[in-house]
Amino acid sequence: MNRLRIAVVFTLMITMASASLVYANEKNENEVEPLDKVVVQNFDSKSTTIELHNEEKELVTQKLVTDTSNIYEIIIGQDDLVKVKNPLEYPYSTSVYIESSNNNLTYRGSGNFIADNVVLTAAHVVYDKNANKFLENVKIYAGDQGDAGHMYSSGVKKISILDSYKTNGKFENDLAVIILDKPLGAKLGHLGLYSNSSDYKGEKVTITGYPAKSREKIMYTDKKNILSDEGGLLSYKIDTLGGSSGSVLYDSKHNAIGVHVMGNEKEQKNYAVKLNDTNLSHVNSILKQATLNGWEKVNNEWYYYKHNHREKGWINDNNKWYYLGDNGVMQVGWIKYNNKWYYLDASGAMQVGWIKLNDKWYYLASDGTMQTGWLQLNGKWYYLSSSGEMQTGWIEIGGVWYYMKQSGEMVTGTHTINGKVYKFSDTGAWIE
């Protein structure tokens, strides 16, 4: 078998790939449609077609077919891309894998969270400017790292791009904002945005995304200084490949300053559309539309939003109290707050009064605090241990014996226990 020819095919596909890499769609989980040819779209809009032999068709499946953006992504000199060990570690966790489809082809790109339910990416990752239409079935995957499988995924509510990109397709306008149908960023975090832009020349920035080193969704990162700031575009020698487009450039404070959109083989540079004042204005206008209010569920964890703000601590909803942790996740079960214990049921609601857990009774005051020691209710006395458990039977407190009924109620006066008569004082102390 001509392995060298296959290697050449794959080399062409990688070096000339667009940001939105395109793959043949799978027929089912284990079977794909073999390709008769590979079409590589060049920077000058000319295309190269490579005919494949029969034995090669069997190998080149699910590989690059064509692209719509007509741009390069390049490795500059030595490959400095570093595989991210933990994609759930901030700020890497803000990076997402974007998948879409069109005409039975599957596209891939990258992006980053800039709010819990908003992703910033390049327009050409989600929009086919040659066909003048948005790509279909856009899905967002986050926390992914190859065969570990995607940890979180979301559909899309709205995609917004600049009208100027639709009309002129310039890279200075190659920007898209995606509103998700669930706030994955609540779990993974998001990048910040500067209130205004400045000259970023010399600034050290990082790009983290999903360059197509393989078919798998594997996250890589690289950081270098910005070489030039032209007002609309930023240039740098950070290494990228097809699939990297849409990755956000962020600084040491994890603020977004641009979106990676292309590379130039001749100049040995890669470029990002800058988040200048005009682009920031567009992004902020979409952020205002990405409203979040009330409860949101992300991978079996609940969050509560009020006017787009992810709440923390105690909240009251429909006359029920809930507690949200430091990360905003709704808590259940026992929690300790200000050295006091509270119990939240499976719905997260704070409990009051008597509750039974594992055949043991506890009493929670009207403010939800677990009670210990002596407790008087409706003229009856109960005793709760230091762990809150209601006591029954004989108990000794301070050298004095008391007897508690099965209901937990303290007995007084004369009482028969196991056939024997005992006397107790008005305070419940055993006399004889």
Side-chain angles (χ1 to χ4, degrees), residues 181-432:
D181 60 18
K182 54 180 149 180
L184 299 185
K187 183 72 176 177
L188 301 164
H190 59 77
L191 300 175
L193 290 173
Y194 282 119
S195 59
N196 53 62
S197 60
S198 58
D199 189 343
Y200 294 121
K201 183 178 179 180
E203 186 92 20
K204 176 160 280 190
V205 293
T206 301
I207 290 180
T208 304
Y210 290 89
K213 284 199 166 191
S214 72
R215 170 77 175 185
E216 295 180 316
K217 306 179 185 74
I218 299 180
M219 187 186 295
Y220 289 85
T221 189
D222 187 19
K223 64 174 66 175
K224 292 186 178 75
N225 293 335
I226 290 179
L227 300 177
S228 67
D229 182 344
E230 302 170 9
L233 289 176
L234 306 170
S235 70
Y236 40 85
K237 290 185 179 290
I238 297 174
D239 288 330
T240 64
L241 286 172
S244 295
S245 268
S247 300
V248 174
L249 273 72
Y250 55 91
D251 64 11
S252 60
K253 296 181 179 179
H254 308 137
N255 286 311
I257 65 173
V259 176
H260 175 70
V261 293
M262 68 168 181
N264 189 306
E265 183 91 39
K266 183 177 180 181
E267 296 179 1
Q268 287 290 283
K269 294 179 183 179
N270 283 305
Y271 289 86
V273 54
K274 180 182 178 180
L275 290 181
N276 54 29
D277 292 341
T278 299
N279 290 336
L280 274 173
S281 177
H282 173 72
V283 171
N284 285 321
S285 69
I286 304 304
L287 283 172
K288 291 178 181 179
Q289 300 174 32
T291 56
L292 287 170
N293 281 295
W295 292 104
E296 293 284 347
K297 188 177 184 181
V298 179
N299 278 45
N300 296 319
E301 292 182 329
W302 285 97
Y303 300 82
Y304 189 84
Y305 288 85
K306 189 174 182 180
H307 306 303
N308 282 359
H309 181 264
R310 188 183 346 132
E311 298 292 288
K312 300 175 184 178
W314 289 105
I315 63 164
N316 188 286
D317 183 49
N318 290 327
N319 297 318
K320 293 182 180 180
W321 285 96
Y322 301 82
Y323 188 78
L324 312 173
D326 292 339
N327 56 0
V329 177
M330 182 193 79
Q331 304 297 293
V332 297
W334 289 107
I335 65 165
K336 192 175 185 180
Y337 179 80
N338 285 346
N339 291 319
K340 295 182 179 180
W341 287 95
Y342 301 79
Y343 187 79
L344 313 171
D345 69 9
S347 72
M350 183 190 78
Q351 301 298 288
V352 297
W354 288 107
I355 61 170
K356 188 177 184 181
L357 301 171
N358 298 321
D359 292 326
K360 296 177 181 179
W361 286 95
Y362 302 82
Y363 188 82
L364 310 170
S366 58
D367 64 356
T369 55
M370 182 191 77
Q371 302 299 289
T372 60
W374 287 106
L375 172 71
Q376 187 180 35
L377 291 173
N378 301 321
K380 298 177 181 180
W381 285 95
Y382 302 82
Y383 191 82
L384 311 170
S385 70
S386 59
S387 60
E389 299 170 8
M390 183 192 77
Q391 302 298 288
T392 60
W394 288 102
I395 61 172
E396 183 184 15
I397 302 172
V400 179
W401 285 93
Y402 301 84
Y403 188 80
M404 321 302 285
K405 295 180 182 179
Q406 194 63 31
S407 64
E409 177 187 348
M410 181 191 76
V411 302
T412 59
T414 302
H415 196 77
T416 301
I417 304 172
N418 296 328
K420 186 176 180 179
V421 177
Y422 295 83
K423 290 183 179 180
F424 300 88
S425 69
D426 291 341
T427 62
W430 173 40
I431 300 172
E432 59 178 272

Side-chain angles (χ1 to χ4, degrees), residues 41 67-70 127-133:
Q41 196 77 28
D67 73 85
T68 61
S69 52
N70 306 329
Y127 186 81
D128 185 346
K129 66 183 180 183
N130 294 325
N132 292 319
K133 68 174 185 177

